[in-house]
Amino acid sequence: MAKFITEPSRTFSEYLLLPNLTTRDCVTANVNLTTPLVKFKKGSKPEFELGIPFVSAAMQSVSGETMARELGVLGGVAFVFCSQPPESQATMIANIKKKRGSDNYVIGAAVNTHDYKERIPLLVQAGAEVLCIDSSDGFSEWQSDVIAFVRKNYGEKIKIGAGNVVCEEGFRYLANAGADFVKVGIGGGAICITREQKGIGRGQASALIDVVAARDKYLKEKGIYIPICSDGGFVFDNHIIIALAMGMDFAMMGRYFAGFAESPSAIVTKDGKKYKEYWGEGSARANNWRRYGGDKMKFEEGVDSLIPFKGKLADGLDVSLNKIKSTMCNLGSLNLESFVKNARLTVVSQASLVEGGAHNVTVK
Ligand code: IMP
């Protein structure tokens, strides 16, 4: 008989944080959002850190050259999409590196489990420093093969994150395979129809809680801290805050970044309003680059969509970061490590969800 997990699969909307004492030094100007990007031995410093806990998704409509530079300057990393020929991705990486002049941001690139032997050497030669395996299901021997290829050819010089997983077993497999960070999430992305199409996945909060617990267990056993990236499904800034409190080290987002001017997709005007195009990597549109070779798609796992245009990245990001910092102050925390230690989370009922928004008023 199949095994049943009786706990429901939960999402970020089902949780709230309780405040702690806010001391006088707890003001947003004093909050530090630095977070590790790659694994490190307890007591030492990671080789790569992020200034803000945000990375942009490895997607055609999200992470191009402009996003990589702008997000890099602001403290994050863009994982330049690999759904393009290896040569054109390497050209993008080389251009990003050329323009890095004095800003010391990290150059990230996505890779897949099919053409990595050809792609990775080109990306590394072009200047990629941190790679990320882009796959909806990372609990696979192919991911272990890609990590082994990087270690054999580049030792610890080139970093590589793996995923996505949603449970302890998946995390363990990738940790033992040598992943530098592990990405969590199946089926929660805004443009994702994987759960509908294939019946696999897990509520993002439940997946994150389990994987963070597995990471903490691994840290106790081996003395190695592996950062956890929660990927997809962030709808509101409060979701990012809840995920950070649950122990996520950084968020990977597609829809959030696609809406800004710096994403590679076109602005579309409809009924007098400005939108940006945003399409999934598992949509037919993203797979057009393979038309003349490679596997033919048998079914889609993503949709092609429009999302509201949000203006400049720096402005939008500033608002989100301020909300994070403000909540951290509510919990009496000036850095992310103490935020997790101090966090007390409660599951909310359906009725209290209604209470949480504007209610019993006519919003003007
Ligand atoms: P979002 O931030 O909710 O828009 O989710 C972005 C994430 O969705 C990406 O980082 C991927 O993990 C995932 N994703 C991207 N394209 C597809 C797709 O076509 N199908 C399923 N998941 C996708």
Side-chain angles (χ1 to χ4, degrees):
M1 193 187 164
K3 199 170 164 184
F4 288 85
I5 296 165
T6 46
E7 248 308 286
S9 210
R10 295 192 186 278
T11 70
F12 296 130
S13 292
E14 293 175 81
Y15 292 88
L16 278 177
L17 281 159
L18 274 57
N20 298 320
L21 176 70
T22 304
T23 49
R24 288 184 192 87
D25 59 330
C26 270
V27 289
T28 53
N30 290 343
V31 173
N32 182 346
L33 291 178
T34 304
T35 192
L37 176 59
V38 296
K39 71 180 174 197
F40 60 97
K41 274 212 179 85
K42 207 176 169 180
S44 68
K45 228 174 122 66
E47 267 178 73
F48 292 97
E49 285 181 324
L50 295 165
I52 57 170
F54 286 39
V55 302
S56 65
M59 299 173 74
Q60 293 173 353
S61 48
V62 180
S63 297
E65 289 179 32
T66 310
M67 182 60 74
R69 278 197 304 274
E70 296 301 315
L71 182 55
V73 168
L74 294 165
V77 172
F79 285 98
V80 173
F81 60 93
C82 61
S83 52
Q84 59 177 321
E87 295 76 15
S88 65
Q89 190 188 9
T91 303
M92 280 188 167
I93 297 293
N95 289 341
I96 294 161
K97 188 170 179 197
K98 214 182 296 164
K99 297 203 173 104
R100 184 157 70 167
S102 57
D103 304 307
N104 196 22
Y105 53 82
V106 180
I107 299 182
V111 297
N112 60 52
T113 55
H114 305 286
D115 60 16
Y116 61 94
K117 288 184 184 159
E118 181 197 348
R119 187 180 295 270
I120 291 178
L122 292 180
L123 296 177
V124 170
Q125 203 186 6
E129 296 157 320
V130 179
L131 307 174
C132 176
I133 310 175
D134 179 37
S135 166
S136 60
D137 173 17
F139 194 1
S140 83
E141 291 185 337
W142 294 296
Q143 295 237 342
S144 161
D145 293 346
V146 181
I147 298 167
F149 177 84
V150 169
R151 292 292 170 253
K152 182 165 172 256
N153 291 283
Y154 310 102
E156 295 292 329
K157 198 178 135 253
I158 296 297
K159 305 297 180 189
I160 180 154
N164 289 9
V165 298
V166 292
C167 60
E168 172 171 10
E169 293 83 353
F171 170 82
R172 278 263 153 188
Y173 183 80
L174 295 178
N176 289 335
D180 286 299
F181 61 86
V182 171
K183 217 143 63 70
V184 176
I186 297 180
I191 35 52
C192 177
I193 50 170
T194 298
R195 292 184 198 168
E196 281 169 22
Q197 293 279 58
K198 295 173 65 180
I200 65 160
R202 193 171 191 190
Q204 191 65 17
S206 296
L208 180 62
I209 292 166
D210 261 19
V211 175
V212 165
R215 185 275 307 284
D216 290 351
K217 201 161 125 192
Y218 190 87
L219 173 66
K220 253 193 191 147
E221 282 170 29
K222 316 253 182 191
I224 295 169
Y225 185 95
I226 302 180
I228 302 298
C229 168
S230 182
D231 176 15
F234 295 100
V235 180
F236 308 110
D237 290 331
N238 70 54
H239 288 173
I240 306 170
I241 296 165
I242 296 288
L244 286 168
M246 286 175 172
M248 163 187 87
D249 294 276
F250 54 97
M252 176 175 269
M253 296 185 285
R255 189 191 59 86
Y256 178 91
F257 288 109
F260 292 116
E262 289 79 357
S263 78
S265 73
I267 294 178
V268 173
T269 305
K270 208 177 144 196
D271 303 327
K273 282 194 181 146
K274 281 187 178 171
Y275 296 87
K276 277 215 127 189
E277 293 187 303
Y278 178 44
W279 62 95
E281 290 294 292
S283 67
R285 179 171 180 177
N287 275 267
N288 277 342
W289 74 281
R290 286 190 216 265
R291 206 165 12 188
Y292 305 105
D295 295 336
K296 246 202 169 151
M297 254 186 126
K298 300 231 167 49
F299 59 92
E300 289 182 274
E301 286 190 51
V303 298
D304 192 350
S305 71
L306 290 179
I307 54 170
F309 176 56
K310 298 194 291 190
K312 274 177 68 177
L313 172 68
D315 299 338
L317 203 54
D318 191 49
V319 175
S320 302
L321 294 175
N322 266 295
K323 284 190 208 166
I324 297 172
K325 289 176 182 175
S326 174
T327 309
M328 286 171 70
C329 290
N330 294 138
L331 265 76
S333 304
L334 290 176
N335 60 55
L336 289 170
E337 204 183 334
S338 89
F339 187 49
V340 176
K341 275 200 192 121
N342 290 344
R344 289 179 297 156
L345 290 138
T346 178
V347 175
V348 295
S349 68
Q350 194 56 39
S352 60
L353 268 179
V354 175
E355 184 187 66
H359 62 93
N360 294 73
V361 293
T362 305
V363 178
K364 286 204 251 176

